[in-house]
């Protein structure tokens, strides 16, 4: 009787254990794997990074818009006069930004026009014509030049370029031409390095197919390699000219810092960035002169965005 009772009591326990094992195995199958949890973690980190970057950009825009519009909203200065007047004399409450706008565009365009052909020719020679050991030697040198601080280029311009221009053309040597030369030296390594990378990304099959059709090396370079890398070459131009447009310290050291309309390549002038760097520390926050400088900063931001947008539209049309 006791044995019968014991066997009778043990049956529900075994059945209960079997029923319990089935849901546990089923839960393990439905539980997220380690790879799924890693993917969720990556998505979470990516979303947080995007929110952080977006928040910083929006905060920067809001701050600059608030400060930059104070000249027109609080101080009631005319926007039309700010953009079209050539008289920039903060001590007399004259805030005409046209000389700085003109000079900024002039030095950027001149430096880009001079640097792009030379960067393209240098990149073609290094990747297509010269032996491979030349690329291995020159590439680290070019990348080193890209990373040199702008103050070094400004010092070279101040001690070498400005005196040389003064001896060649007369005057002090300070002016738009000196700033163009310094910016040319600054953006040339950037354009060359990016152009080399884009030319090397063109598949070798393109070159072999062109050679198989009987094309010469120059025909292959001009009609196959360069058109295939056109988008990257224009992107290199965008990056180089964007760096030139936003450069402040090196330009300030050689341009003369005279906020007047440029009368020629050798006349002293000032860019938006050079006026900002020289004046922002000499004004009191909240004054009209300080608000005018913030308006220049907002104008510089908007012009940089418009400048990059136009160049990217040009590069897209070039790809088509």
């Amino acid at each position: 009787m006791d044995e019968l009772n014991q066997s009778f009591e043990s049956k529900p326990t075994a059945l209960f254990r079997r029923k319990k094992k089935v849901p546990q195995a089923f839960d393990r199958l439905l539980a997220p794997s380690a790879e799924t949890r890693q993917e969720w973690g990556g998505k979470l980190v990516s979303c947080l990074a995007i929110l952080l970057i977006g928040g910083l950009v929006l905060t920067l825009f809001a701050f600059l818009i608030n400060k930059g519009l104070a000249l027109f909203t609080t101080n009631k200065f005319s926007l039309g006069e700010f953009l079209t007047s050539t008289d920039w004399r903060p001590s007399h409450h004259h805030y005409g930004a046209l000389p700085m706008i003109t000079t900024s565009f002039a030095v950027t365009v001149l430096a880009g026009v001079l640097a792009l052909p030379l960067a393209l020719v240098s990149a073609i020679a290094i990747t297509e014509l010269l032996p491979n050991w030349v690329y291995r030697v020159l590439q680290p040198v070019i990348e080193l030049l890209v990373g040199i601080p702008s103050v070094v280029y400004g010092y070279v311009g101040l001690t070498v370029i400005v005196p040389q221009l003064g001896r060649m053309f007369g005057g002090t040597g300070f002016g738009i031409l000196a700033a163009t030369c310094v910016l040319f030296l600054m953006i040339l390594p950037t354009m060359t390095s990016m152009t080399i990378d884009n030319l090397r990304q063109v598949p070798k099959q393109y070159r072999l197919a062109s050679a198989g059709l009987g094309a010469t090396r120059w025909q292959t370079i001009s009609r196959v390699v360069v058109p295939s890398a056109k988008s990257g070459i224009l992107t290199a131009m965008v990056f180089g000219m964007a760096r030139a447009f936003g450069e402040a310290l090196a330009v300030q050291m050689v341009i003369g810092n005279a906020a007047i309309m440029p009368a020629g390549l050798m006349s002293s002038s000032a860019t938006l960035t050079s006026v900002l760097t020289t004046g922002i520390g000499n004004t009191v926050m909240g004054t009209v002169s300080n608000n005018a400088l913030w308006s220049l900063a907002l104008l510089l931001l908007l012009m940089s965005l418009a400048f990059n947008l136009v160049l990217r539209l040009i590069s897209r049309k070039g790809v088509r």
Side-chain angles (χ1 to χ4, degrees):
M1 191 63 183
D2 294 338
E3 293 177 354
L4 182 62
N5 291 335
Q6 290 177 358
S7 62
F8 201 64
E9 290 175 356
S10 62
K11 284 182 180 178
T13 305
L15 181 62
F16 176 75
R17 287 176 180 174
R18 284 197 297 272
K19 287 182 178 179
K20 191 174 182 181
K21 285 180 181 178
V22 172
Q24 286 178 350
F26 191 68
D27 291 341
R28 282 199 298 271
L29 288 174
L30 294 179
S33 62
E35 289 79 8
T36 303
R37 289 195 293 271
Q38 289 178 355
E39 185 177 352
W40 289 350
K43 289 181 179 178
L44 178 62
V45 173
S46 301
C47 291
L48 290 176
I50 292 173
L51 289 175
L52 178 62
I53 295 173
L56 289 175
V57 172
L58 291 177
T59 303
L60 176 64
F61 271 83
F63 180 77
L64 276 180
I65 290 173
N66 182 36
K67 288 287 186 181
L69 294 181
L71 179 68
F72 314 110
T73 57
T74 305
N75 305 121
K76 307 299 180 184
F77 195 81
S78 172
L79 176 61
E81 185 178 354
F82 179 76
L83 295 176
T84 58
S85 175
T86 60
D87 190 3
W88 176 266
R89 287 181 296 171
S91 58
H92 295 76
H93 298 288
H94 293 164
Y95 306 104
L98 187 59
M100 286 77 79
I101 297 173
T102 305
T103 306
S104 296
F105 271 112
V107 295
T108 301
V109 172
L110 287 174
V113 168
L114 291 176
L116 181 61
L118 189 57
L120 181 59
V121 171
S122 302
I124 290 174
I126 292 172
T127 57
E128 304 294 331
L129 302 177
L130 298 177
N132 198 30
W133 65 266
V134 176
Y135 167 76
R136 292 196 298 270
V137 172
L138 290 182
Q139 183 67 12
V141 176
I142 295 173
E143 292 177 353
L144 178 66
L145 293 175
V146 173
I148 291 178
S150 60
V151 65
V152 176
Y153 286 103
Y155 188 72
V156 171
L158 187 64
T159 57
V160 178
I161 296 176
V162 170
Q164 187 64 30
L165 291 178
R167 284 191 291 271
M168 293 174 61
F169 301 103
T172 60
F174 292 93
I176 292 179
L177 186 57
T180 301
C181 294
V182 170
L183 290 178
F184 165 76
L185 293 177
M186 287 184 61
I187 66 176
L188 181 61
T190 303
M191 287 186 174
T192 304
S193 178
M194 294 184 65
T195 306
I196 289 174
D197 292 339
N198 286 285
L199 291 179
R200 288 177 64 85
Q201 288 178 1
V202 177
K204 290 183 179 179
Q205 289 82 355
Y206 289 13
R207 299 175 176 84
L208 296 176
S210 177
L213 293 174
T216 63
R217 174 178 285 188
W218 175 245
Q219 288 174 334
T220 300
I221 293 172
S222 61
R223 299 181 184 180
V224 177
V225 178
V226 173
S228 300
K230 186 190 297 181
S231 175
I233 294 171
L234 292 173
T235 303
M237 183 182 70
V238 171
F239 273 94
M241 296 183 73
R243 184 184 181 188
F245 192 74
E247 178 55 38
L249 185 57
V251 175
Q252 178 193 348
M253 295 172 70
V254 299
I255 201 169
N257 301 310
I260 55 176
M261 281 296 288
L265 293 178
M266 292 302 297
S267 64
S268 296
S269 189
T271 62
L272 291 168
T273 53
S274 65
V275 170
L276 283 171
T277 53
T278 55
I280 198 68
N282 300 319
T283 58
V284 179
M285 187 69 74
T287 59
V288 183
S289 300
N290 186 264
N291 290 337
L293 293 176
W294 282 113
S295 299
L296 287 182
L298 178 60
L299 181 62
L300 179 65
L301 175 66
L302 296 177
M303 290 174 62
S304 299
L305 293 176
F307 187 72
N308 289 333
L309 181 62
V310 170
L311 288 179
R312 288 190 181 278
L313 289 176
I314 293 174
S315 64
R316 286 184 181 181
K317 288 185 178 179
V319 173
R320 293 173 185 172

